Structure formats: C-alpha cells, structure tokens
Amino acid sequence: MGFPGRPPEQPQEPSTPTATIATMSVDEEETAPSMVAFPVEEYATRITKKRFGQYVQDRFTGYHAGDDIEFADDASRAREIPVGAIADGEIVRVSRVSGYGGVIVTRHAINGRIITALYGHLDLSSVTLRPGDLVTRGQFLANLGEHESTETDGERKHLHFGLYEGSDGRVNGYEAAEAGLKKWLDPSVFFANGG
C-alpha cells in the first residue's frame, strides 16, 4: 500500500483495479472500474437528515463533517446493514467513541493522496478486523448498530461517514466553525468524482 511508517509490501501481480487504472489512457479510464465503492447500499438516496456541511443544533451543535446515511425505517431496522471498505487500504482504528458507539477508521492511498475514512454507529460485535489489517474495496467491515442502542450511542440506525485527506486521527462528527469543514472532504463530491 505504501503508507507512511509501514514497511513496503512485496510486489504483486498488477491484477487489482488500482494497478489497471494507473496504466490506462484518459479515454480508457472513463469506462474502467472505479477505485472506490460506496460504504453502504443506496448511499445517495438515503442521505435525508444530515449532509456534509449542514449546520445542526440538536444533541450536538456545529457543522456536520460527514454524510449520514439513514436506515431507521421499519424495514431497515429489522435487518442487518453491512458496511464495506470504500477502497483498498488499512484498518487504523476499531473502538467505541462517545457520540458514535462503534467506530472504524480506514486509511487509503487514492489517486496519489492518503485518504482517511470514518465509519460511525457500528455494531462492534460484528467486527473481525483489527488495526493494521489490510482490506480491499467493498470488503465487509461491520454491520450498522441497532436503532437507539449502545452500538449507535442511542442514535437512530444510520451510518455517519466522514472523509479527510491525511492521517491525523480525527473522529469528530462536527466542526464548531464553518471554516473547520475545510479540513474534511465532502463525501458526496468525493464519490461523484470517483475518489
């Protein structure tokens, strides 16, 4: 992967989508498989309450530093909602965090940049991965936590998904000032641009 502070991996056959895309011309890239995947099904259509950059005054106050993908409807509450890795990368954190319940943080090398992804409100009992484990695009990370449980820190069943460039380890879901959003990437724009 080539992450700072990790020894380089042994060379592999160029069979991953990343290696294939890197060798294509611009015209060919338009039809190539993406290096990134949505973390949950129906990502765009289920962002109905809190979007990136939205000012919120409820349990928390500030500018939302991610997208909330909602699964609090009756049909979704009754089933497991799997959450997957957005790209090939590494697990950097699996823990319980106040305000989220279960959290996983992953780090990815995408288009020459280090991108960190935060997945909040997860059922940690469904997690088998640990920090340092490598993951592939779309690989199962965890199930969403149950609606209004300790797994979601009492919140509705939804995925809080945040992204930023770099690896400084932040897990906050809100920024006090709008200018703080510049430290984050808008996930919807990130996916629309293919990462």
Side-chain angles (χ1 to χ4, degrees):
M1 290 272 26
F3 293 106
R6 287 191 51 110
E9 294 181 43
Q10 295 298 319
Q12 297 179 358
E13 293 288 321
S15 61
T16 64
T18 303
T20 304
I21 290 172
T23 60
M24 292 182 173
S25 71
V26 173
D27 291 334
E28 290 173 313
E29 275 188 32
E30 291 177 11
T31 59
S34 176
M35 293 174 59
V36 298
F38 291 114
V40 289
E41 63 189 36
E42 303 174 51
Y43 183 96
T45 59
R46 288 188 173 268
I47 304 171
T48 58
K49 291 191 184 293
K50 296 180 184 178
R51 294 184 171 279
F52 177 83
Q54 182 178 340
Y55 184 74
V56 176
Q57 279 186 295
D58 54 18
R59 179 179 172 195
F60 302 100
T61 298
Y63 294 88
H64 202 238
D67 281 338
D68 280 358
I69 304 90
E70 304 294 329
F71 290 92
D73 57 281
D74 290 340
S76 296
R77 279 193 223 167
R79 64 186 174 98
E80 297 289 1
I81 305 296
V83 177
I86 62 161
D88 295 354
E90 176 184 8
I91 302 288
V92 294
R93 181 176 185 163
V94 177
S95 65
R96 187 164 303 283
V97 174
S98 178
Y100 288 115
V103 167
I104 291 180
V105 177
T106 57
R107 189 169 302 134
H108 312 275
I110 300 173
N111 294 328
R113 304 182 304 168
I114 299 299
I115 303 293
T116 299
L118 182 149
Y119 312 76
H121 306 297
L122 305 177
D123 173 6
L124 291 182
S125 70
S126 68
V127 178
T128 60
L129 299 162
R130 300 290 171 250
D133 289 349
L134 299 180
V135 293
T136 58
R137 178 176 57 104
Q139 181 177 337
F140 175 80
L141 298 176
N143 287 317
L144 281 184
E146 291 300 317
H147 184 72
E148 297 179 348
S149 69
T150 57
E151 298 166 355
T152 62
D153 200 49
E155 290 287 325
R156 66 205 183 279
K157 187 173 186 173
H158 72 283
L159 174 68
H160 173 93
F161 182 73
L163 286 172
Y164 59 90
E165 190 168 352
S167 56
D168 61 8
R170 65 185 99 120
V171 293
N172 53 307
Y174 298 85
E175 290 289 341
E178 190 172 13
L181 292 173
K182 292 179 181 173
K183 300 185 294 186
W184 296 85
L185 300 172
D186 181 332
S188 294
V189 171
F190 174 84
F191 288 122
N193 293 332

